[in-house]
Amino acid sequence: MDNPKVIFLIIDGLGDRPLSELGDLTPLEYAKTPNLDVIATEGINGLMTTLGRGKVPGSDVAHLTLFGYDIEKYYSGRGPIEIAGLGIKLQHGDVALRSNLGTLDTNSNLIVDRRAGRINDVSGLIKDLDGIEIDGVKFIVKPGTGHRAGVIMRGDGLSANITDADPHIDNVAPAMPKAKDDTKEAQRTVVILSKFIETAHKMLSDSDINRTRAKAGLPIANYLLVRGAGFYKSVPSFESRYSMRACAIAGAGLYKGVGSYLGMDILDVPGATGLPNTSIEAKFNAAKDSLPNYDFIFIHVKAPDSLAEDGNYMGKANFIERIDNAIKILFELKDVLLVITGDHSTPSALKKHSADPVPIVFRGPGVRKDNVTSFGERACAHGGQGYISGIDVMPEVVNLVGLAKLIGA
Amino acid sequence: MDNPKVIFLIIDGLGDRPLSELGDLTPLEYAKTPNLDVIATEGINGLMTTLGRGKVPGSDVAHLTLFGYDIEKYYSGRGPIEIAGLGIKLQHGDVALRSNLGTLDTNSNLIVDRRAGRINDVSGLIKDLDGIEIDGVKFIVKPGTGHRAGVIMRGDGLSANITDADPHIDNVAPAMPKAKDDTKEAQRTVVILSKFIETAHKMLSDSDINRTRAKAGLPIANYLLVRGAGFYKSVPSFESRYSMRACAIAGAGLYKGVGSYLGMDILDVPGATGLPNTSIEAKFNAAKDSLPNYDFIFIHVKAPDSLAEDGNYMGKANFIERIDNAIKILFELKDVLLVITGDHSTPSALKKHSADPVPIVFRGPGVRKDNVTSFGERACAHGGQGYISGIDVMPEVVNLVGLAKLIGA
């Protein structure tokens, strides 16, 4: 018998709290989910606390943990993860920063538009910035989505312990990055980065594209607003750790970033937007079609989290019903271990992430099916899996597909 | 009231996964176990993950953990544990190796039989090897079962980080042990051990016993195939840790070894073979008879693991029924805390150890009896003990018998 393949579906912000508006049910409990309920019935269920009880995870940290990567060891800020999502290969020692291209009004010295009129493509503008060297540090600059770009500093003796150059609001002066500690690495990094920001500002101001924009009355994109510096520490690939060839199917950049960060292939799925208008079917069909090529397929669905952060509990419930409707595509597949959970709870009444545990189900060959018959926060609390910590999920997966290594003799 | 005594029954490889051939039951669930079910009904039940979730334990590591010994601190390879089982007292700093006596064909320089025709007693052959000193290192050599012997290197500045001299297959040349690291201890150890292997080869070749074997047309036992080097780190005895006088009842060598390693008395029970033909009744009766002399009796039953490793799920279920039938001997005893679990799961479909949790029951005076009425993987998931990690089992035992020490005031 071959080892079963794994489809790992993370429904962002899946867990919630009971709402009086829903008759004291959570959006997941309120939603009609006949297919998820069949999966729960055929699987072993439990509740998952991503970082352990009472700890509220951010999305980056939650995903690293669910993939079995200890964040103490492998996480140093969102920058490197977002940058990895742009398809840039990072090297140990790189400092990675997210960036907007914004509009600096040179008379007032204020950032008048942090997104330069939501310019939809910055590749032409930043082309000449890519590859600049300053004091022995090479700058790699690549376009992100819309007004965004990724900036990498590559060289010896750098530090990511620096503040943002992005003021995060419009109509204030741009901040120069500052060292957060007294090390010479941090001091050196802010000096070099500041020189680069100045150089970039001059080059962007001189660019033909901006001249054309100015003539057209559009805000010019003449200033790099860098933020979220992170130091890339070399990360063993998912495949090297688990002996499973892996890919990621996600709409939103961060989740592609997590996949890239761990060396997964990123599948480009038309219709996958990371927004409520995403095509869930397109994602699930892409997983189905890719199954011959991969041992592990990570699918991310973002909208339940965003909807809950807007307090839109009914939108969240409806979106969960759409997932339920599409999930037949996955659960009809043979010899697959299907794992469904969330990265954390996002209670719609709180409108933010919480540490409430999230339902988890493992359904596939050999699992010890339990008595749970519906997929929900309260139902899964009685499952055979009990409480499971996020960091233990991948070891369970690896065990269930028979790939776990023996300790001792 | 005196503290209850403890009988700790470890059924090797007890846990399994549901099998369609057994109507989606595990061998334990399928087996008719009226007596184990009474014990579950009268006890507090749970699921035990030996090394924590998703971690697959070898038998040596599993047992040390179940007896409350942190393997990071107390485990360094199987050698010392097997050697302890030969009744040899190890000293801190000893390097212990398992060994076969094999047949080296001196013309071809090939090991033509790793077990020297399964010679059934090597004591006469190795007598003169015992006590040899080379470069300040004393070799202690004792007979094991059949073609096996234990070899101990005693002296300063040794290392166990060396490879096996045993090629593990027939008809290849013997390997000389090699250092696995650059330390001078490892280098020194392989030099001295290689000299010993040469010396032993000469002495064995000259032995009268081998001459007689050669004349009779039997393979001569002229070569020591050492393997599994481990460094013995002094281990506090079970009794010193728990204030309980302990003994071990086991058929297979490794489990006697674990008992010896922890300073338990090893009871010699005729009929206890470590094989499916073992007399379970003899073991349980030996426990019953020894109860006046001990506070803690460890009983090991091996066959369910071996049968599952052969994929023989029905044999496993039948053997579990035999255990159930014999167990009346134990559960009729008064003032005893009876603990029954496995060291790990061995799913019959996988034919190897897995990390799936194992049922555990504690039955005796004062336990918080729960609603579980049958002893099985799924039933025990709903027990009052919840999920328990292997390293926490002994602390629970010590607590239940009232011997746990107060922390704080």
Side-chain angles (χ1 to χ4, degrees):
Chain A
M1 186 183 81
D2 283 344
N3 299 314
K5 301 201 167 196
V6 180
I7 295 181
F8 196 117
L9 171 61
I10 300 183
I11 303 174
D12 211 299
L14 177 64
D16 211 300
R17 295 181 181 170
L19 292 155
S20 55
E21 296 88 337
L22 301 179
D24 278 327
L25 300 174
T26 69
L28 175 60
E29 291 169 342
Y30 177 84
K32 287 197 178 55
T33 55
N35 297 309
L36 287 167
D37 294 346
V38 169
I39 294 171
T41 305
E42 295 180 0
I44 180 168
N45 302 268
L47 286 181
M48 194 277 297
T49 56
T50 317
L51 301 180
R53 304 230 189 199
K55 294 192 183 128
V56 182
S59 298
D60 44 10
V61 153
H63 279 74
L64 287 181
T65 304
L66 282 173
F67 292 131
Y69 287 74
D70 179 355
I71 53 164
E72 292 297 321
K73 218 164 150 180
Y74 298 113
Y75 178 72
S76 100
R78 186 149 166 171
I81 297 174
E82 291 270 358
I83 300 305
L86 303 180
I88 309 173
K89 281 262 171 250
L90 292 165
Q91 293 181 7
H92 188 83
D94 283 353
V95 171
L97 301 117
R98 310 164 66 193
S99 182
N100 281 9
L101 264 76
T103 308
L104 178 72
D105 179 280
T106 42
N107 295 322
S108 63
N109 193 39
L110 299 178
I111 298 291
V112 292
D113 186 340
R114 284 184 63 251
R115 298 183 184 88
R118 289 200 177 267
I119 180 169
N120 63 13
D121 179 15
V122 299
S123 16
L125 282 160
I126 60 171
K127 206 175 45 180
D128 293 339
L129 304 181
D130 187 31
I132 287 180
E133 274 205 42
I134 299 176
D135 299 348
V137 172
K138 185 175 173 186
F139 284 84
I140 300 159
V141 186
K142 300 288 179 197
T145 325
H147 55 279
R148 298 180 193 87
V151 175
I152 293 157
M153 301 177 69
R154 181 168 293 164
D156 293 331
L158 296 173
S159 163
N161 204 18
I162 62 171
T163 62
D164 294 349
D166 179 357
H168 295 278
I169 47 170
D170 284 343
N171 297 315
V172 296
M176 272 296 154
K178 291 188 192 62
K180 288 190 196 166
D181 62 41
D182 291 336
T183 60
K184 63 170 194 280
E185 286 80 7
Q187 310 292 336
R188 178 167 181 260
T189 304
V190 295
V191 168
I192 297 174
L193 181 56
S194 300
K195 287 185 192 175
F196 174 72
I197 291 171
E198 282 302 329
T199 305
H201 173 48
K202 272 177 213 144
M203 290 172 69
L204 290 167
S205 302
D206 285 347
S207 111
D208 290 338
I209 296 173
N210 271 330
R211 252 174 242 155
T212 312
R213 285 181 70 84
K215 272 181 207 154
L218 293 168
I220 58 172
N222 65 348
Y223 206 87
L224 272 179
L225 295 160
V226 296
R227 65 183 189 277
F231 188 75
Y232 178 73
K233 294 179 273 190
S234 111
V235 174
S237 75
F238 188 91
E239 182 169 355
S240 72
R241 285 190 79 169
Y242 300 119
S243 302
M244 290 193 275
R245 215 170 122 62
C247 70
I249 295 171
L254 178 64
Y255 310 96
K256 295 182 186 173
V258 172
S260 292
Y261 194 72
L262 305 181
M264 298 178 183
D265 287 349
I266 309 303
L267 301 195
D268 187 33
V269 178
T273 61
L275 300 171
N277 70 2
T278 199
S279 170
I280 308 170
E281 288 77 10
K283 286 182 177 178
F284 292 177
N285 278 318
K288 179 182 171 181
D289 296 344
S290 309
L291 207 52
N293 306 322
Y294 294 98
D295 307 303
F296 184 98
I297 299 178
F298 155 44
I299 310 174
H300 184 266
V301 180
K302 178 71 186 167
D305 177 58
S306 321
L307 291 162
E309 287 190 338
D310 292 340
N312 185 354
Y313 52 85
M314 195 53 88
K316 182 173 178 177
N318 291 340
F319 196 91
I320 290 169
E321 293 186 352
R322 284 182 50 205
I323 296 174
D324 183 79
N325 190 51
I327 204 139
K328 280 191 217 162
I329 299 165
L330 299 181
F331 94 88
E332 283 168 0
L333 300 170
K334 301 276 176 220
D335 292 326
V336 165
L337 177 67
L338 179 58
V339 183
I340 305 176
T341 188
D343 54 345
H344 53 75
S345 289
T346 307
S348 304
L350 276 188
K351 301 186 180 179
K352 61 178 185 179
H353 296 192
S354 81
D356 302 75
V358 190
I360 187 165
V361 59
F362 301 78
R363 182 264 202 183
V367 303
R368 292 176 181 168
K369 215 171 110 166
D370 57 28
N371 296 326
V372 175
T373 55
S374 86
F375 190 62
E377 289 86 344
R378 262 87 58 103
C380 289
H382 303 288
Q385 191 63 252
Y387 264 75
I388 180 168
S389 201
I391 198 73
D392 289 331
V393 170
M394 272 308 298
E396 284 283 3
V397 166
V398 172
N399 172 55
L400 283 171
V401 297
L403 287 171
K405 293 192 185 77
L406 192 72
I407 298 169
Chain B
M1 188 182 84
D2 284 345
N3 298 315
K5 301 202 166 195
V6 181
I7 295 181
F8 195 119
L9 172 61
I10 299 182
I11 303 173
D12 210 301
L14 176 64
D16 211 300
R17 294 181 181 174
L19 292 155
S20 55
E21 298 89 337
L22 301 179
D24 279 325
L25 299 174
T26 68
L28 174 60
E29 291 169 342
Y30 177 84
K32 287 195 179 54
T33 55
N35 297 310
L36 286 167
D37 295 345
V38 169
I39 294 171
T41 305
E42 295 180 359
I44 180 167
N45 302 268
L47 286 180
M48 194 278 297
T49 56
T50 317
L51 300 180
R53 302 234 190 195
K55 295 193 182 124
V56 183
S59 298
D60 44 10
V61 153
H63 279 74
L64 287 181
T65 303
L66 282 173
F67 293 131
Y69 287 74
D70 178 357
I71 55 166
E72 291 298 321
K73 216 162 150 182
Y74 297 114
Y75 177 74
S76 101
R78 185 149 168 168
I81 297 175
E82 290 270 357
I83 300 306
L86 303 179
I88 309 173
K89 281 264 171 252
L90 291 164
Q91 293 180 7
H92 188 82
D94 284 353
V95 171
L97 302 117
R98 311 165 65 190
S99 181
N100 281 9
L101 264 76
T103 307
L104 178 72
D105 179 280
T106 43
N107 294 322
S108 62
N109 193 39
L110 298 178
I111 297 292
V112 291
D113 186 341
R114 284 183 65 250
R115 297 183 185 88
R118 289 198 177 269
I119 181 171
N120 63 13
D121 179 16
V122 299
S123 16
L125 282 159
I126 62 171
K127 203 175 43 174
D128 294 341
L129 304 180
D130 186 33
I132 285 180
E133 274 206 41
I134 298 176
D135 299 348
V137 173
K138 185 175 173 187
F139 284 84
I140 299 160
V141 187
K142 300 290 179 194
T145 326
H147 54 278
R148 298 181 194 86
V151 175
I152 294 156
M153 301 176 71
R154 181 167 293 164
D156 293 332
L158 296 173
S159 164
N161 204 17
I162 62 171
T163 63
D164 292 350
D166 179 356
H168 295 278
I169 48 169
D170 283 342
N171 296 316
V172 295
M176 272 297 156
K178 289 187 192 66
K180 286 188 196 169
D181 62 43
D182 291 337
T183 60
K184 63 172 197 277
E185 287 80 7
Q187 310 291 334
R188 178 167 181 257
T189 304
V190 296
V191 169
I192 296 174
L193 181 56
S194 301
K195 285 184 191 173
F196 174 71
I197 291 170
E198 282 302 330
T199 304
H201 172 49
K202 274 179 211 141
M203 290 172 67
L204 291 168
S205 303
D206 285 348
S207 109
D208 290 339
I209 295 172
N210 271 330
R211 253 174 236 148
T212 311
R213 285 181 70 84
K215 272 183 205 153
L218 293 169
I220 57 172
N222 65 348
Y223 205 87
L224 272 179
L225 295 159
V226 295
R227 66 183 187 278
F231 187 75
Y232 177 75
K233 294 179 273 191
S234 118
V235 174
S237 75
F238 188 91
E239 183 169 352
S240 72
R241 285 190 80 171
Y242 301 118
S243 305
M244 290 193 275
R245 216 172 120 62
C247 71
I249 296 172
L254 178 64
Y255 310 95
K256 295 181 186 174
V258 172
S260 292
Y261 195 72
L262 305 181
M264 298 178 183
D265 286 350
I266 309 303
L267 302 194
D268 187 34
V269 178
T273 63
L275 300 170
N277 70 5
T278 199
S279 170
I280 308 169
E281 289 76 9
K283 286 182 177 176
F284 291 178
N285 279 317
K288 179 181 170 181
D289 297 344
S290 309
L291 209 50
N293 305 322
Y294 294 98
D295 307 303
F296 184 99
I297 299 178
F298 155 45
I299 310 174
H300 183 266
V301 180
K302 177 72 185 167
D305 177 59
S306 321
L307 292 160
E309 286 191 337
D310 291 341
N312 186 355
Y313 53 85
M314 197 52 92
K316 183 173 178 176
N318 291 339
F319 196 91
I320 290 169
E321 293 186 349
R322 283 182 51 207
I323 295 174
D324 183 79
N325 191 50
I327 206 141
K328 283 190 216 163
I329 299 163
L330 300 181
F331 93 90
E332 284 168 357
L333 301 170
K334 301 280 177 216
D335 293 324
V336 164
L337 175 69
L338 179 58
V339 183
I340 305 176
T341 189
D343 54 345
H344 53 75
S345 289
T346 307
S348 304
L350 278 187
K351 300 186 181 180
K352 62 180 182 179
H353 296 191
S354 81
D356 302 76
V358 191
I360 187 166
V361 58
F362 302 76
R363 181 267 202 181
V367 302
R368 294 180 182 165
K369 216 172 111 168
D370 57 29
N371 295 327
V372 175
T373 54
S374 85
F375 191 63
E377 288 87 344
R378 262 83 65 99
C380 289
H382 303 290
Q385 192 61 251
Y387 266 74
I388 179 170
S389 199
I391 199 71
D392 290 330
V393 171
M394 273 307 299
E396 285 280 3
V397 166
V398 172
N399 171 57
L400 284 171
V401 297
L403 286 170
K405 292 190 187 78
L406 191 70
I407 300 168

